[in-house]
Each structure stands twice: as structure tokens, then as C-alpha cells.
Amino acid sequence: MSAGGVPRGNAPDNQLPFIRRNATLLAELPEPGEHWLAEQIPDELANQLIGLENKEIVTSVKRVTSSKWKKPRCLWETKPDAYQQIHDVLEGTDRDGLLPCGHSAIKNERGVDGISCGVCEEVHDRDDVDLNRGGSP
């Protein structure tokens, strides 16, 4: 386990890069311990629940029925380790991203001289990004 309490090596290899790229959106997931329906989160996340489950970010807890619905629906829960990683990225304590700010959510915006971070909005010089990735200026 790391110093932050997040186990390393148990999550799928694509989990942390995905979290780094999508931390702002993933922050909309309910806290661990809450059971929730897909309709309680933004549609953009609800449409990705199976992918999020495959990345071990959320888990299906059980199926529930109601007279309001034609079919049973899944109750979901956010996994605690993934939730912590999402907030580590957003709070800047995850410093292993592609960009010098530590994030990996690259935004290549028109009219911006450099590469913007999709998490903290910091703009980085392209040479600095290359150096951060182990390249040469």
C-alpha cells in the first residue's frame, strides 16, 4: 500500500491513466459507501458504467425492482481506492502525470500557446511537456 492508503498493483493498468484524464468528470461519482442508481449521476458517466466497472472504479452492488420501472436496475457503488485516486489527482497530490503539473488530462486548445491541463487549466510550454515525459527540448 502507498503512503496515501491506496493499494498499488491491484487495479487494472488502465485505471490510473483513465482517472488522470477524466478526474473532473469522475469527481461527480457519489462517495464510497453510498448505493446509487445510474440516473443519479451525469449522463456522461452513466453511459460508461460498464467501462467504469471494468476499470474497477465502480461496482454493481445488486439489482433492484420498483413499480416505477419496467426492468430491474442496478445499484452501484464507487470503489474507495478509485475514489481516493480521483481526489488525489484533483487535489494535486498525484504528481506522476504526463504534464509538469502532475496531471494527464491534455487539452490542445486553439489560440493557446502551449498545452492546457484539463484538470487544473495550467498552460504548459510544449518543450516542458517533452522534458517531463523524458524527452529532450
Side-chain angles (χ1 to χ4, degrees), residues 9-43:
N10 297 335
D13 291 340
N14 61 351
Q15 184 190 64
L16 186 55
F18 181 82
I19 288 173
R20 286 178 177 145
R21 288 189 310 273
N22 298 284
T24 304
L25 177 62
L26 292 170
E28 298 292 326
L29 290 169
E31 290 185 21
E34 287 184 43
H35 294 175
W36 42 271
L37 296 166
E39 64 197 33
Q40 294 174 268
I41 61 173
D43 288 343

PDB file of all heavy atoms in Angstrom, residues 9-43:
ATOM      1  N   GLY A   9      -0.963  -1.963  -7.615  1.00  0.00           N
ATOM      2  CA  GLY A   9      -0.821  -3.247  -8.256  1.00  0.00           C
ATOM      3  C   GLY A   9      -2.108  -4.053  -8.315  1.00  0.00           C
ATOM      4  O   GLY A   9      -2.171  -5.054  -9.001  1.00  0.00           O
ATOM      5  N   ASN A  10      -3.171  -3.645  -7.611  1.00  0.00           N
ATOM      6  CA  ASN A  10      -4.420  -4.381  -7.640  1.00  0.00           C
ATOM      7  C   ASN A  10      -5.374  -3.873  -8.707  1.00  0.00           C
ATOM      8  O   ASN A  10      -6.212  -4.612  -9.190  1.00  0.00           O
ATOM      9  CB  ASN A  10      -5.119  -4.314  -6.278  1.00  0.00           C
ATOM     10  CG  ASN A  10      -4.298  -4.966  -5.184  1.00  0.00           C
ATOM     11  OD1 ASN A  10      -3.489  -5.834  -5.446  1.00  0.00           O
ATOM     12  ND2 ASN A  10      -4.510  -4.533  -3.958  1.00  0.00           N
ATOM     13  N   ALA A  11      -5.298  -2.634  -9.045  1.00  0.00           N
ATOM     14  CA  ALA A  11      -6.197  -2.033 -10.026  1.00  0.00           C
ATOM     15  C   ALA A  11      -5.723  -2.364 -11.436  1.00  0.00           C
ATOM     16  O   ALA A  11      -4.542  -2.615 -11.659  1.00  0.00           O
ATOM     17  CB  ALA A  11      -6.232  -0.521  -9.828  1.00  0.00           C
ATOM     18  N   PRO A  12      -6.647  -2.353 -12.404  1.00  0.00           N
ATOM     19  CA  PRO A  12      -6.224  -2.576 -13.789  1.00  0.00           C
ATOM     20  C   PRO A  12      -5.202  -1.528 -14.221  1.00  0.00           C
ATOM     21  O   PRO A  12      -5.223  -0.391 -13.738  1.00  0.00           O
ATOM     22  CB  PRO A  12      -7.516  -2.418 -14.588  1.00  0.00           C
ATOM     23  CG  PRO A  12      -8.627  -2.482 -13.606  1.00  0.00           C
ATOM     24  CD  PRO A  12      -8.065  -2.105 -12.271  1.00  0.00           C
ATOM     25  N   ASP A  13      -4.317  -1.908 -15.131  1.00  0.00           N
ATOM     26  CA  ASP A  13      -3.263  -0.993 -15.594  1.00  0.00           C
ATOM     27  C   ASP A  13      -3.815   0.287 -16.199  1.00  0.00           C
ATOM     28  O   ASP A  13      -3.157   1.314 -16.167  1.00  0.00           O
ATOM     29  CB  ASP A  13      -2.374  -1.688 -16.633  1.00  0.00           C
ATOM     30  CG  ASP A  13      -1.522  -2.786 -16.011  1.00  0.00           C
ATOM     31  OD1 ASP A  13      -1.328  -2.770 -14.780  1.00  0.00           O
ATOM     32  OD2 ASP A  13      -1.068  -3.661 -16.772  1.00  0.00           O
ATOM     33  N   ASN A  14      -5.020   0.232 -16.753  1.00  0.00           N
ATOM     34  CA  ASN A  14      -5.568   1.418 -17.414  1.00  0.00           C
ATOM     35  C   ASN A  14      -6.388   2.297 -16.475  1.00  0.00           C
ATOM     36  O   ASN A  14      -6.895   3.321 -16.881  1.00  0.00           O
ATOM     37  CB  ASN A  14      -6.399   1.020 -18.626  1.00  0.00           C
ATOM     38  CG  ASN A  14      -7.597   0.151 -18.278  1.00  0.00           C
ATOM     39  OD1 ASN A  14      -7.758  -0.308 -17.146  1.00  0.00           O
ATOM     40  ND2 ASN A  14      -8.439  -0.092 -19.255  1.00  0.00           N
ATOM     41  N   GLN A  15      -6.505   1.917 -15.192  1.00  0.00           N
ATOM     42  CA  GLN A  15      -7.330   2.697 -14.280  1.00  0.00           C
ATOM     43  C   GLN A  15      -6.758   4.085 -14.000  1.00  0.00           C
ATOM     44  O   GLN A  15      -7.435   5.088 -14.182  1.00  0.00           O
ATOM     45  CB  GLN A  15      -7.538   1.964 -12.956  1.00  0.00           C
ATOM     46  CG  GLN A  15      -8.473   2.728 -12.021  1.00  0.00           C
ATOM     47  CD  GLN A  15      -8.514   2.172 -10.627  1.00  0.00           C
ATOM     48  OE1 GLN A  15      -7.502   2.186  -9.933  1.00  0.00           O
ATOM     49  NE2 GLN A  15      -9.665   1.676 -10.220  1.00  0.00           N
ATOM     50  N   LEU A  16      -5.521   4.166 -13.528  1.00  0.00           N
ATOM     51  CA  LEU A  16      -4.962   5.456 -13.142  1.00  0.00           C
ATOM     52  C   LEU A  16      -4.825   6.410 -14.331  1.00  0.00           C
ATOM     53  O   LEU A  16      -5.207   7.581 -14.209  1.00  0.00           O
ATOM     54  CB  LEU A  16      -3.635   5.294 -12.403  1.00  0.00           C
ATOM     55  CG  LEU A  16      -3.047   6.579 -11.822  1.00  0.00           C
ATOM     56  CD1 LEU A  16      -4.038   7.298 -10.904  1.00  0.00           C
ATOM     57  CD2 LEU A  16      -1.764   6.276 -11.075  1.00  0.00           C
ATOM     58  N   PRO A  17      -4.342   5.967 -15.496  1.00  0.00           N
ATOM     59  CA  PRO A  17      -4.324   6.900 -16.631  1.00  0.00           C
ATOM     60  C   PRO A  17      -5.728   7.409 -16.985  1.00  0.00           C
ATOM     61  O   PRO A  17      -5.906   8.585 -17.295  1.00  0.00           O
ATOM     62  CB  PRO A  17      -3.723   6.072 -17.770  1.00  0.00           C
ATOM     63  CG  PRO A  17      -2.913   5.026 -17.089  1.00  0.00           C
ATOM     64  CD  PRO A  17      -3.657   4.713 -15.822  1.00  0.00           C
ATOM     65  N   PHE A  18      -6.723   6.540 -16.909  1.00  0.00           N
ATOM     66  CA  PHE A  18      -8.101   6.951 -17.184  1.00  0.00           C
ATOM     67  C   PHE A  18      -8.560   7.970 -16.148  1.00  0.00           C
ATOM     68  O   PHE A  18      -9.164   8.986 -16.493  1.00  0.00           O
ATOM     69  CB  PHE A  18      -9.032   5.726 -17.178  1.00  0.00           C
ATOM     70  CG  PHE A  18     -10.458   6.069 -17.468  1.00  0.00           C
ATOM     71  CD1 PHE A  18     -10.889   6.236 -18.772  1.00  0.00           C
ATOM     72  CD2 PHE A  18     -11.365   6.241 -16.434  1.00  0.00           C
ATOM     73  CE1 PHE A  18     -12.210   6.567 -19.041  1.00  0.00           C
ATOM     74  CE2 PHE A  18     -12.687   6.566 -16.690  1.00  0.00           C
ATOM     75  CZ  PHE A  18     -13.112   6.728 -17.998  1.00  0.00           C
ATOM     76  N   ILE A  19      -8.266   7.712 -14.879  1.00  0.00           N
ATOM     77  CA  ILE A  19      -8.643   8.657 -13.821  1.00  0.00           C
ATOM     78  C   ILE A  19      -7.952   9.995 -14.044  1.00  0.00           C
ATOM     79  O   ILE A  19      -8.568  11.051 -13.902  1.00  0.00           O
ATOM     80  CB  ILE A  19      -8.321   8.077 -12.429  1.00  0.00           C
ATOM     81  CG1 ILE A  19      -9.308   6.949 -12.104  1.00  0.00           C
ATOM     82  CG2 ILE A  19      -8.346   9.156 -11.353  1.00  0.00           C
ATOM     83  CD1 ILE A  19      -8.990   6.186 -10.823  1.00  0.00           C
ATOM     84  N   ARG A  20      -6.674   9.983 -14.402  1.00  0.00           N
ATOM     85  CA  ARG A  20      -5.951  11.238 -14.630  1.00  0.00           C
ATOM     86  C   ARG A  20      -6.578  12.046 -15.761  1.00  0.00           C
ATOM     87  O   ARG A  20      -6.635  13.268 -15.694  1.00  0.00           O
ATOM     88  CB  ARG A  20      -4.486  10.956 -14.935  1.00  0.00           C
ATOM     89  CG  ARG A  20      -3.694  10.551 -13.730  1.00  0.00           C
ATOM     90  CD  ARG A  20      -2.264  10.246 -14.094  1.00  0.00           C
ATOM     91  NE  ARG A  20      -1.486   9.935 -12.911  1.00  0.00           N
ATOM     92  CZ  ARG A  20      -0.512   9.054 -12.882  1.00  0.00           C
ATOM     93  NH1 ARG A  20      -0.181   8.368 -13.975  1.00  0.00           N
ATOM     94  NH2 ARG A  20       0.151   8.834 -11.773  1.00  0.00           N
ATOM     95  N   ARG A  21      -7.034  11.370 -16.809  1.00  0.00           N
ATOM     96  CA  ARG A  21      -7.638  12.070 -17.953  1.00  0.00           C
ATOM     97  C   ARG A  21      -9.053  12.554 -17.666  1.00  0.00           C
ATOM     98  O   ARG A  21      -9.515  13.496 -18.293  1.00  0.00           O
ATOM     99  CB  ARG A  21      -7.667  11.158 -19.178  1.00  0.00           C
ATOM    100  CG  ARG A  21      -6.339  10.904 -19.812  1.00  0.00           C
ATOM    101  CD  ARG A  21      -6.469  10.178 -21.145  1.00  0.00           C
ATOM    102  NE  ARG A  21      -7.310   9.001 -21.097  1.00  0.00           N
ATOM    103  CZ  ARG A  21      -6.908   7.770 -20.769  1.00  0.00           C
ATOM    104  NH1 ARG A  21      -5.646   7.551 -20.455  1.00  0.00           N
ATOM    105  NH2 ARG A  21      -7.756   6.760 -20.750  1.00  0.00           N
ATOM    106  N   ASN A  22      -9.752  11.909 -16.750  1.00  0.00           N
ATOM    107  CA  ASN A  22     -11.178  12.174 -16.549  1.00  0.00           C
ATOM    108  C   ASN A  22     -11.539  12.537 -15.116  1.00  0.00           C
ATOM    109  O   ASN A  22     -12.693  12.404 -14.719  1.00  0.00           O
ATOM    110  CB  ASN A  22     -11.978  10.935 -16.974  1.00  0.00           C
ATOM    111  CG  ASN A  22     -11.804  10.615 -18.425  1.00  0.00           C
ATOM    112  OD1 ASN A  22     -12.364  11.263 -19.281  1.00  0.00           O
ATOM    113  ND2 ASN A  22     -10.987   9.615 -18.710  1.00  0.00           N
ATOM    114  N   ALA A  23     -10.586  12.998 -14.334  1.00  0.00           N
ATOM    115  CA  ALA A  23     -10.809  13.229 -12.902  1.00  0.00           C
ATOM    116  C   ALA A  23     -11.940  14.208 -12.629  1.00  0.00           C
ATOM    117  O   ALA A  23     -12.736  13.982 -11.699  1.00  0.00           O
ATOM    118  CB  ALA A  23      -9.521  13.707 -12.228  1.00  0.00           C
ATOM    119  N   THR A  24     -12.036  15.257 -13.395  1.00  0.00           N
ATOM    120  CA  THR A  24     -13.075  16.251 -13.144  1.00  0.00           C
ATOM    121  C   THR A  24     -14.461  15.634 -13.295  1.00  0.00           C
ATOM    122  O   THR A  24     -15.334  15.843 -12.454  1.00  0.00           O
ATOM    123  CB  THR A  24     -12.914  17.457 -14.089  1.00  0.00           C
ATOM    124  OG1 THR A  24     -11.589  17.988 -13.919  1.00  0.00           O
ATOM    125  CG2 THR A  24     -13.930  18.537 -13.797  1.00  0.00           C
ATOM    126  N   LEU A  25     -14.660  14.859 -14.342  1.00  0.00           N
ATOM    127  CA  LEU A  25     -15.944  14.184 -14.538  1.00  0.00           C
ATOM    128  C   LEU A  25     -16.174  13.111 -13.480  1.00  0.00           C
ATOM    129  O   LEU A  25     -17.254  13.000 -12.900  1.00  0.00           O
ATOM    130  CB  LEU A  25     -16.004  13.564 -15.937  1.00  0.00           C
ATOM    131  CG  LEU A  25     -17.262  12.767 -16.271  1.00  0.00           C
ATOM    132  CD1 LEU A  25     -18.504  13.651 -16.218  1.00  0.00           C
ATOM    133  CD2 LEU A  25     -17.123  12.115 -17.635  1.00  0.00           C
ATOM    134  N   LEU A  26     -15.147  12.319 -13.189  1.00  0.00           N
ATOM    135  CA  LEU A  26     -15.277  11.237 -12.211  1.00  0.00           C
ATOM    136  C   LEU A  26     -15.560  11.753 -10.803  1.00  0.00           C
ATOM    137  O   LEU A  26     -16.111  11.025  -9.975  1.00  0.00           O
ATOM    138  CB  LEU A  26     -14.018  10.366 -12.218  1.00  0.00           C
ATOM    139  CG  LEU A  26     -13.799   9.549 -13.492  1.00  0.00           C
ATOM    140  CD1 LEU A  26     -12.403   8.926 -13.496  1.00  0.00           C
ATOM    141  CD2 LEU A  26     -14.876   8.495 -13.661  1.00  0.00           C
ATOM    142  N   ALA A  27     -15.214  12.995 -10.538  1.00  0.00           N
ATOM    143  CA  ALA A  27     -15.490  13.585  -9.220  1.00  0.00           C
ATOM    144  C   ALA A  27     -16.993  13.674  -8.959  1.00  0.00           C
ATOM    145  O   ALA A  27     -17.412  13.839  -7.812  1.00  0.00           O
ATOM    146  CB  ALA A  27     -14.847  14.967  -9.110  1.00  0.00           C
ATOM    147  N   GLU A  28     -17.801  13.513  -9.996  1.00  0.00           N
ATOM    148  CA  GLU A  28     -19.263  13.536  -9.852  1.00  0.00           C
ATOM    149  C   GLU A  28     -19.805  12.222  -9.289  1.00  0.00           C
ATOM    150  O   GLU A  28     -20.992  12.127  -8.975  1.00  0.00           O
ATOM    151  CB  GLU A  28     -19.917  13.818 -11.213  1.00  0.00           C
ATOM    152  CG  GLU A  28     -19.560  15.161 -11.810  1.00  0.00           C
ATOM    153  CD  GLU A  28     -20.130  16.328 -11.024  1.00  0.00           C
ATOM    154  OE1 GLU A  28     -21.238  16.203 -10.467  1.00  0.00           O
ATOM    155  OE2 GLU A  28     -19.464  17.374 -10.955  1.00  0.00           O
ATOM    156  N   LEU A  29     -18.960  11.191  -9.181  1.00  0.00           N
ATOM    157  CA  LEU A  29     -19.409   9.924  -8.603  1.00  0.00           C
ATOM    158  C   LEU A  29     -19.686  10.097  -7.116  1.00  0.00           C
ATOM    159  O   LEU A  29     -18.943  10.798  -6.423  1.00  0.00           O
ATOM    160  CB  LEU A  29     -18.351   8.834  -8.800  1.00  0.00           C
ATOM    161  CG  LEU A  29     -18.151   8.340 -10.230  1.00  0.00           C
ATOM    162  CD1 LEU A  29     -16.902   7.463 -10.318  1.00  0.00           C
ATOM    163  CD2 LEU A  29     -19.382   7.589 -10.709  1.00  0.00           C
ATOM    164  N   PRO A  30     -20.721   9.448  -6.606  1.00  0.00           N
ATOM    165  CA  PRO A  30     -21.010   9.527  -5.167  1.00  0.00           C
ATOM    166  C   PRO A  30     -19.887   8.906  -4.337  1.00  0.00           C
ATOM    167  O   PRO A  30     -19.123   8.075  -4.824  1.00  0.00           O
ATOM    168  CB  PRO A  30     -22.304   8.715  -5.024  1.00  0.00           C
ATOM    169  CG  PRO A  30     -22.924   8.749  -6.379  1.00  0.00           C
ATOM    170  CD  PRO A  30     -21.768   8.748  -7.347  1.00  0.00           C
ATOM    171  N   GLU A  31     -19.810   9.301  -3.091  1.00  0.00           N
ATOM    172  CA  GLU A  31     -18.786   8.785  -2.176  1.00  0.00           C
ATOM    173  C   GLU A  31     -18.947   7.291  -1.972  1.00  0.00           C
ATOM    174  O   GLU A  31     -20.067   6.768  -2.042  1.00  0.00           O
ATOM    175  CB  GLU A  31     -18.907   9.481  -0.817  1.00  0.00           C
ATOM    176  CG  GLU A  31     -18.499  10.915  -0.835  1.00  0.00           C
ATOM    177  CD  GLU A  31     -18.514  11.522   0.559  1.00  0.00           C
ATOM    178  OE1 GLU A  31     -18.454  10.771   1.565  1.00  0.00           O
ATOM    179  OE2 GLU A  31     -18.577  12.747   0.641  1.00  0.00           O
ATOM    180  N   PRO A  32     -17.840   6.597  -1.699  1.00  0.00           N
ATOM    181  CA  PRO A  32     -17.932   5.167  -1.375  1.00  0.00           C
ATOM    182  C   PRO A  32     -18.856   4.961  -0.173  1.00  0.00           C
ATOM    183  O   PRO A  32     -18.952   5.808   0.709  1.00  0.00           O
ATOM    184  CB  PRO A  32     -16.495   4.789  -1.020  1.00  0.00           C
ATOM    185  CG  PRO A  32     -15.653   5.817  -1.686  1.00  0.00           C
ATOM    186  CD  PRO A  32     -16.470   7.081  -1.683  1.00  0.00           C
ATOM    187  N   GLY A  33     -19.531   3.829  -0.184  1.00  0.00           N
ATOM    188  CA  GLY A  33     -20.467   3.530   0.897  1.00  0.00           C
ATOM    189  C   GLY A  33     -21.899   3.865   0.528  1.00  0.00           C
ATOM    190  O   GLY A  33     -22.833   3.311   1.096  1.00  0.00           O
ATOM    191  N   GLU A  34     -22.094   4.795  -0.413  1.00  0.00           N
ATOM    192  CA  GLU A  34     -23.432   5.118  -0.898  1.00  0.00           C
ATOM    193  C   GLU A  34     -23.788   4.163  -2.020  1.00  0.00           C
ATOM    194  O   GLU A  34     -22.962   3.869  -2.873  1.00  0.00           O
ATOM    195  CB  GLU A  34     -23.475   6.542  -1.483  1.00  0.00           C
ATOM    196  CG  GLU A  34     -23.427   7.651  -0.504  1.00  0.00           C
ATOM    197  CD  GLU A  34     -23.563   9.004  -1.194  1.00  0.00           C
ATOM    198  OE1 GLU A  34     -24.423   9.146  -2.099  1.00  0.00           O
ATOM    199  OE2 GLU A  34     -22.801   9.903  -0.837  1.00  0.00           O
ATOM    200  N   HIS A  35     -25.024   3.698  -2.050  1.00  0.00           N
ATOM    201  CA  HIS A  35     -25.525   2.921  -3.175  1.00  0.00           C
ATOM    202  C   HIS A  35     -26.401   3.853  -3.998  1.00  0.00           C
ATOM    203  O   HIS A  35     -27.226   4.585  -3.443  1.00  0.00           O
ATOM    204  CB  HIS A  35     -26.318   1.709  -2.697  1.00  0.00           C
ATOM    205  CG  HIS A  35     -25.462   0.714  -1.985  1.00  0.00           C
ATOM    206  ND1 HIS A  35     -25.963  -0.400  -1.378  1.00  0.00           N
ATOM    207  CD2 HIS A  35     -24.126   0.657  -1.779  1.00  0.00           C
ATOM    208  CE1 HIS A  35     -24.994  -1.105  -0.842  1.00  0.00           C
ATOM    209  NE2 HIS A  35     -23.859  -0.465  -1.058  1.00  0.00           N
ATOM    210  N   TRP A  36     -26.211   3.835  -5.313  1.00  0.00           N
ATOM    211  CA  TRP A  36     -26.879   4.813  -6.160  1.00  0.00           C
ATOM    212  C   TRP A  36     -27.290   4.183  -7.487  1.00  0.00           C
ATOM    213  O   TRP A  36     -26.772   3.142  -7.894  1.00  0.00           O
ATOM    214  CB  TRP A  36     -25.981   6.030  -6.394  1.00  0.00           C
ATOM    215  CG  TRP A  36     -24.535   5.720  -6.649  1.00  0.00           C
ATOM    216  CD1 TRP A  36     -23.540   5.592  -5.724  1.00  0.00           C
ATOM    217  CD2 TRP A  36     -23.915   5.459  -7.919  1.00  0.00           C
ATOM    218  NE1 TRP A  36     -22.355   5.284  -6.341  1.00  0.00           N
ATOM    219  CE2 TRP A  36     -22.547   5.199  -7.686  1.00  0.00           C
ATOM    220  CE3 TRP A  36     -24.381   5.426  -9.230  1.00  0.00           C
ATOM    221  CZ2 TRP A  36     -21.649   4.917  -8.712  1.00  0.00           C
ATOM    222  CZ3 TRP A  36     -23.484   5.143 -10.251  1.00  0.00           C
ATOM    223  CH2 TRP A  36     -22.130   4.898  -9.987  1.00  0.00           C
ATOM    224  N   LEU A  37     -28.238   4.832  -8.143  1.00  0.00           N
ATOM    225  CA  LEU A  37     -28.719   4.428  -9.458  1.00  0.00           C
ATOM    226  C   LEU A  37     -28.047   5.269 -10.526  1.00  0.00           C
ATOM    227  O   LEU A  37     -27.630   6.410 -10.264  1.00  0.00           O
ATOM    228  CB  LEU A  37     -30.235   4.621  -9.558  1.00  0.00           C
ATOM    229  CG  LEU A  37     -31.095   3.768  -8.633  1.00  0.00           C
ATOM    230  CD1 LEU A  37     -32.515   4.288  -8.589  1.00  0.00           C
ATOM    231  CD2 LEU A  37     -31.059   2.317  -9.098  1.00  0.00           C
ATOM    232  N   ALA A  38     -27.981   4.746 -11.724  1.00  0.00           N
ATOM    233  CA  ALA A  38     -27.355   5.466 -12.839  1.00  0.00           C
ATOM    234  C   ALA A  38     -27.989   6.834 -13.063  1.00  0.00           C
ATOM    235  O   ALA A  38     -27.305   7.783 -13.430  1.00  0.00           O
ATOM    236  CB  ALA A  38     -27.431   4.626 -14.115  1.00  0.00           C
ATOM    237  N   GLU A  39     -29.265   6.948 -12.808  1.00  0.00           N
ATOM    238  CA  GLU A  39     -29.957   8.224 -13.038  1.00  0.00           C
ATOM    239  C   GLU A  39     -29.533   9.316 -12.051  1.00  0.00           C
ATOM    240  O   GLU A  39     -29.857  10.486 -12.239  1.00  0.00           O
ATOM    241  CB  GLU A  39     -31.471   8.028 -12.992  1.00  0.00           C
ATOM    242  CG  GLU A  39     -31.981   7.591 -11.647  1.00  0.00           C
ATOM    243  CD  GLU A  39     -33.386   7.009 -11.702  1.00  0.00           C
ATOM    244  OE1 GLU A  39     -33.746   6.381 -12.713  1.00  0.00           O
ATOM    245  OE2 GLU A  39     -34.115   7.204 -10.721  1.00  0.00           O
ATOM    246  N   GLN A  40     -28.788   8.958 -11.027  1.00  0.00           N
ATOM    247  CA  GLN A  40     -28.351   9.929 -10.033  1.00  0.00           C
ATOM    248  C   GLN A  40     -27.001  10.565 -10.362  1.00  0.00           C
ATOM    249  O   GLN A  40     -26.545  11.433  -9.616  1.00  0.00           O
ATOM    250  CB  GLN A  40     -28.273   9.260  -8.658  1.00  0.00           C
ATOM    251  CG  GLN A  40     -29.627   8.826  -8.143  1.00  0.00           C
ATOM    252  CD  GLN A  40     -29.512   8.041  -6.859  1.00  0.00           C
ATOM    253  OE1 GLN A  40     -29.425   6.824  -6.871  1.00  0.00           O
ATOM    254  NE2 GLN A  40     -29.488   8.761  -5.745  1.00  0.00           N
ATOM    255  N   ILE A  41     -26.376  10.134 -11.442  1.00  0.00           N
ATOM    256  CA  ILE A  41     -25.090  10.699 -11.853  1.00  0.00           C
ATOM    257  C   ILE A  41     -25.260  11.311 -13.239  1.00  0.00           C
ATOM    258  O   ILE A  41     -26.235  11.018 -13.932  1.00  0.00           O
ATOM    259  CB  ILE A  41     -23.964   9.627 -11.833  1.00  0.00           C
ATOM    260  CG1 ILE A  41     -24.272   8.486 -12.795  1.00  0.00           C
ATOM    261  CG2 ILE A  41     -23.738   9.123 -10.414  1.00  0.00           C
ATOM    262  CD1 ILE A  41     -23.145   7.473 -12.955  1.00  0.00           C
ATOM    263  N   PRO A  42     -24.323  12.160 -13.668  1.00  0.00           N
ATOM    264  CA  PRO A  42     -24.436  12.756 -15.000  1.00  0.00           C
ATOM    265  C   PRO A  42     -24.518  11.679 -16.097  1.00  0.00           C
ATOM    266  O   PRO A  42     -23.900  10.611 -15.983  1.00  0.00           O
ATOM    267  CB  PRO A  42     -23.141  13.571 -15.136  1.00  0.00           C
ATOM    268  CG  PRO A  42     -22.713  13.848 -13.734  1.00  0.00           C
ATOM    269  CD  PRO A  42     -23.154  12.652 -12.938  1.00  0.00           C
ATOM    270  N   ASP A  43     -25.277  11.962 -17.131  1.00  0.00           N
ATOM    271  CA  ASP A  43     -25.456  11.013 -18.239  1.00  0.00           C
ATOM    272  C   ASP A  43     -24.127  10.564 -18.830  1.00  0.00           C
ATOM    273  O   ASP A  43     -23.977   9.407 -19.207  1.00  0.00           O
ATOM    274  CB  ASP A  43     -26.320  11.623 -19.350  1.00  0.00           C
ATOM    275  CG  ASP A  43     -27.778  11.742 -18.950  1.00  0.00           C
ATOM    276  OD1 ASP A  43     -28.194  11.083 -17.968  1.00  0.00           O
ATOM    277  OD2 ASP A  43     -28.512  12.500 -19.617  1.00  0.00           O
TER     278      ASP A  43
END
